[in-house]
Amino acid sequence: MFYYHDQTEIDGGMISLAVLRSDLVPIPETLELDVRLDNSNRSQLKEGKDIYVGGGRAYQIILVELRRRNVEQSARLVEWVRVTAVLRELQGLTFVRERAVWLENTTLTAIYRACGAQLSADIQGDITIPAYHCLVGDTPTFGIAKLFQEHGGVLRAGENGIEFKSLMSLFDQNVGLTVPPNVTEEIESGFIERHEVPWFVSVDANNNFVLGNNSKARHARYIHRASESVVRNMTRVLIQAKRARLDVNMSIRAGDLAQVGEDKMVVLTAAHAYETGVDGGKVAQYTRVWLGVLTGTETGGGGTVVIDEVTLNGHHDD
């Protein structure tokens, strides 16, 4: 069930499509609705208004797209609106900053709140962040996503709130979803990965080179004053390997562990879709999942190059 910002229920006969989507990103849940407009709801579906889902979780509208179409039987023009909304408590992170945020020796919770998030509780699994800077004119989520990559983790919306999880821990949890291999679409992208997932190099406080995972031939990128764990994390990413359309299951969330045949994969995105057919289209309810595997975990490569002694720890070219 969906409700307007004044808590009145949205007539199901006015909704043609509803998609509730969860992702492993700084704002981990979004809502998309296609609703027929009339005089009763026109003022309710505006940018900045709230929509409530089920048990009361609020989403704030950030995008409104108006569409018009002719109805053949009555030769009249019918207006539909497609709205996109994000979690209201995190919506402040979507704005370009008018004032800079400059934090050191801080936490993810403190960063989120400083950037405009209205968190009702601390982020579960919070970690210490040495520094976070968001300058005037920047959007906070870009820098936050970079922090997640540097610290080898993701943010997900769990059953009990928002939580930070390391990439490795996603594969250590209990399997929450079994997907038959014969219903999946497979994706092989090794060639693209080599071009789009670089390995990283840095220089430490002693002016020695710190090398990331260079066990495979990839593009090289420099990151300033990063530790060996950070430069390794920058190459450790979740890569989409399969996708599948399943019977609707609202309990599936991004970050869940799925068993696909003999393989374990993480749900990168879960989209729960309801197509009602009120606009003349088909009627369907389903959950679409995008599943990923972890890359950049190869052993070997990397280490510290002591420049003045021209020695190599953890990596040998001879």
Side-chain angles (χ1 to χ4, degrees):
M1 287 182 155
F2 303 96
Y3 301 85
Y4 296 116
H5 73 282
D6 62 1
Q7 301 291 334
T8 58
E9 185 177 345
I10 301 178
D11 183 355
M14 305 287 282
I15 300 173
S16 65
L17 173 67
V19 181
L20 187 60
R21 189 186 308 270
S22 67
D23 294 282
L24 300 176
V25 293
I27 301 179
E29 281 192 358
T30 58
L31 173 67
E32 301 154 34
L33 286 179
D34 282 9
V35 185
R36 190 171 67 200
L37 284 178
D38 63 14
N39 292 333
S40 68
N41 66 6
R42 192 176 300 274
S43 63
Q44 308 264 33
L45 298 170
K46 298 285 189 180
E47 185 177 352
K49 297 289 188 180
D50 292 339
I51 295 176
Y52 294 86
V53 177
R57 178 165 273 184
Y59 298 80
Q60 189 165 114
I61 297 174
I62 61 169
L63 177 65
V64 179
E65 300 173 82
L66 183 63
R67 302 175 180 185
R68 297 180 176 90
R69 68 183 72 158
N70 287 314
V71 178
E72 294 182 5
Q73 293 87 343
S74 59
R76 62 188 178 89
L77 193 66
V78 175
E79 291 183 321
W80 292 81
V81 65
R82 170 166 291 183
V83 300
T84 302
V86 300
L87 281 173
R88 184 179 64 186
E89 60 182 323
L90 303 183
Q91 186 261 354
L93 275 68
T94 63
F95 288 103
V96 173
R97 293 293 303 175
E98 295 180 355
R99 298 179 60 185
V101 176
W102 195 280
L103 300 174
E104 295 182 352
N105 296 320
T106 186
T107 64
L108 288 176
T109 300
I111 291 170
Y112 266 65
R113 286 177 172 150
C115 292
Q118 299 176 341
L119 296 174
S120 57
D122 290 352
I123 295 173
Q124 301 173 41
D126 206 346
I127 58 174
T128 300
I129 304 296
Y132 172 78
H133 308 139
C134 183
L135 303 180
V136 173
D138 288 345
T139 305
T141 48
F142 293 108
I144 291 172
K146 182 172 178 286
L147 286 180
F148 292 163
Q149 189 63 52
E150 291 176 352
H151 290 82
V154 293
L155 200 76
R156 67 178 301 231
E159 293 182 2
N160 301 315
I162 298 170
E163 59 181 337
F164 179 82
K165 300 275 289 185
S166 72
L167 295 179
M168 304 301 287
S169 70
L170 293 176
F171 290 88
D172 291 335
Q173 63 184 319
N174 295 329
V175 171
L177 169 67
T178 300
V179 180
N182 61 348
V183 303
T184 64
E185 303 170 12
E186 298 187 13
I187 303 165
E188 294 185 4
S189 58
F191 176 80
I192 301 299
E193 287 174 39
R194 296 286 188 94
H195 286 268
E196 296 189 355
V197 182
W199 69 275
F200 287 80
V201 60
S202 186
V203 176
D204 64 17
N206 296 317
N207 292 323
N208 299 317
F209 281 121
V210 180
L211 306 181
N213 187 341
N214 57 356
S215 59
K216 291 183 178 180
R218 303 176 184 269
H219 293 296
R221 295 289 184 269
Y222 175 78
I223 181 171
H224 186 64
R225 286 286 189 263
S227 66
E228 185 175 346
S229 64
V230 167
V231 294
R232 282 189 173 275
N233 284 337
M234 293 296 285
T235 305
R236 185 174 294 147
V237 296
L238 292 167
I239 298 292
Q240 184 183 166
K242 294 179 183 290
R243 52 181 175 255
R245 175 169 162 164
L246 311 171
D247 293 337
V248 65
N249 183 346
M250 293 293 295
S251 66
I252 300 174
R253 296 173 181 267
D256 288 347
L257 186 63
Q259 186 77 50
V260 186
E262 298 181 354
D263 300 321
K264 287 184 171 61
M265 300 184 180
V266 168
V267 178
L268 305 178
T269 299
H272 310 291
Y274 297 85
E275 300 177 28
T276 66
V278 299
D279 61 347
K282 62 182 179 180
V283 178
Q285 297 183 13
Y286 55 89
T287 293
R288 188 179 294 277
V289 293
W290 288 257
L291 305 170
V293 295
L294 192 60
T295 190
T297 58
E298 303 86 356
T299 59
T304 301
V305 179
V306 183
I307 299 174
D308 55 351
E309 299 178 8
V310 199
T311 61
L312 196 61
N313 297 328
H315 181 79
H316 300 276
D317 284 335
D318 52 334

